[in-house]
Amino acid sequence: MTAICLVGIGKIAVDQHVPSINASDDWELAATVSRAGTVDGVQAFTDFDQMLSERPDIGVVSLCLPPVPRYEYAAKAIAAGRHVMLEKPPGATLAEVYALADMAKAAGVTLFTTWHSRMAEGVAPAKAWLADKQITGAHISWKEDVRRWHPGQDWVFAPGGMGVFDPGSNALSIITEILPMPIHLRSADLLFPSNCDTPIAAQMQWTKNVTGDFDWRQEGPQSWDITVETTQGTLNLHDGGARLLIDGEKVIGGPRAEYPALYARMAELVASGTSEVDLSPMLHVADALTLGKRIVVDPFHF
Ligand code: NAP
């Protein structure tokens, strides 16, 4: 088993990373770094530099921090010869992640920009089914209640937090994976609460008749759905990619095991001495923030 350190013991670390590591034969959770969070029975550091110097046996670092602070940690880890796994979205800017990729290459370590939704059960079969189809259009409907899923996480509305594109990047990671052709943004309406620096909702129009509706104000039923129309039928992904239907018939659907798959992939990458760095989902977020029309809406408070 390979010793791994988890950094940023917050919601996603507790909900997904810790159980996935504990259930894996590849990994041993050897330390954590967090200012407040800890994991029972695991050595806890509050200072990252101290962990790097005191635990040279830990070769892999998994960063579960929000995107803005992540770069500094990743750069230090790579400089210290550690392999690095990044939560999504992989950074606060595209350029900083390209810089990390260059650093990882020069240092001979693995960098993995994870996109957990791509590991959802329906995504690979959806990609395979669409590979030889003629696409006539697609629609993303990604509507959830930010108060329910990100309670009190002020960073999502601060610069670099990306607002509704924090969950929206999950949809973008799926659409960029399954469509057999590239798309680019034509227009976007971005709804900014008057007291926030990031959008709470967005309507997007891409080339090839692809549209997206992202909203963090959704109360009641939540939707994480993608529909792709082709000349040979309609594909639907529901539940964030976990359930796949073609022409209304269920093809696949089961419990979500995205994070165990991410850690299995990281083990493969480290073993093969390779990196996986894909910024295509984040490219669409950056494009929305450069091309989008800013519309000011009611203030938001958790
Ligand atoms: P979170 O709970 O707010 O943050 C994770 C931890 O990071 C915090 O507990 C905090 O730990 C540390 N942290 C926060 N700000 C920091 C800063 N400025 N400097 C250093 N450490 C800081 O967030 P999360 O929901 O786990 O999300 C973290 C990442 O996972 C995000 O990129 C998010 O998109 C991704 N993600 C989240 C979910 C979800 O459902 N929440 C799902 C999938 C992916 P300490 O205070 O103890 O240092």
Side-chain angles (χ1 to χ4, degrees):
M1 290 212 283
T2 305
I4 189 167
C5 173
L6 264 188
V7 182
I9 305 302
K11 186 171 188 309
I12 198 62
V14 170
D15 289 356
Q16 296 291 343
H17 291 256
V18 173
S20 301
I21 293 169
N22 285 343
S24 166
D25 292 334
D26 295 317
W27 302 105
E28 180 213 350
L29 183 54
T32 61
V33 179
S34 210
R35 297 163 307 185
T38 58
V39 175
D40 279 351
V42 177
Q43 184 179 15
F45 292 86
T46 54
D47 184 78
F48 190 55
D49 295 327
Q50 189 184 357
M51 188 286 293
L52 289 173
S53 68
E54 289 185 12
R55 293 297 306 264
D57 58 307
I58 296 179
V60 183
V61 170
S62 179
L63 300 178
C64 312
L65 307 156
V68 169
R70 209 178 293 135
Y71 170 83
E72 302 297 336
Y73 287 79
K76 281 183 178 179
I78 293 168
R82 298 339 204 262
H83 306 287
V84 175
M85 191 166 161
L86 302 172
E87 245 301 351
K88 63 90 220 180
T93 71
L94 294 165
E96 72 182 36
V97 187
Y98 284 124
L100 291 175
D102 288 344
M103 288 180 216
K105 193 172 177 191
V109 298
T110 293
L111 181 69
F112 181 22
T113 59
T114 68
W115 297 104
H116 65 84
S117 291
R118 283 188 178 170
M119 299 299 191
E121 206 171 355
V123 172
K127 179 178 181 168
W129 190 79
L130 289 171
D132 61 355
K133 302 290 181 302
Q134 193 182 334
I135 314 292
T136 54
H139 182 68
I140 298 167
S141 176
W142 223 254
K143 299 180 177 181
E144 62 173 57
D145 182 351
V146 62
R147 290 190 177 91
R148 181 165 155 197
W149 301 103
H150 296 268
Q153 293 183 355
D154 292 330
W155 61 264
V156 298
F157 288 116
M162 296 180 219
V164 74
F165 293 118
D166 178 80
S169 66
N170 298 335
L172 298 172
S173 74
I174 295 176
I175 203 91
T176 50
E177 177 72 6
I178 65 173
L179 289 185
M181 75 293 183
I183 55 172
H184 63 266
L185 194 68
R186 301 297 298 272
S187 66
D189 283 345
L190 308 178
L191 279 58
F192 283 73
S194 57
N195 60 339
C196 296
D197 292 313
T198 62
I200 197 163
Q203 284 101 41
M204 317 261 282
Q205 290 84 38
W206 287 271
T207 53
K208 315 277 172 68
N209 196 27
V210 179
T211 54
D213 198 353
F214 303 82
D215 205 320
W216 239 352
R217 302 165 299 179
Q218 177 83 3
E219 292 172 2
Q222 311 282 287
S223 75
W224 299 283
D225 304 323
I226 296 176
T227 301
V228 184
E229 304 284 356
T230 80
T231 54
Q232 289 151 276
T234 301
L235 177 148
N236 286 101
L237 277 170
H238 297 296
D239 305 338
R243 201 153 51 89
L244 170 65
L245 286 81
I246 292 172
D247 289 334
E249 297 289 323
K250 181 174 158 184
V251 175
I252 204 163
R256 300 176 76 166
E258 299 166 11
Y259 280 80
L262 288 181
Y263 277 96
R265 180 76 185 131
M266 183 65 179
E268 285 171 6
L269 291 171
V270 170
S272 61
T274 50
S275 285
E276 190 171 297
V277 177
D278 181 3
L279 292 176
S280 56
M282 205 171 143
L283 200 61
H284 293 291
V285 177
D287 282 359
L289 295 171
T290 52
L291 184 66
K293 178 178 167 61
R294 182 187 174 109
I295 297 164
V296 177
V297 297
D298 290 344
F300 175 84
H301 300 281
F302 277 109

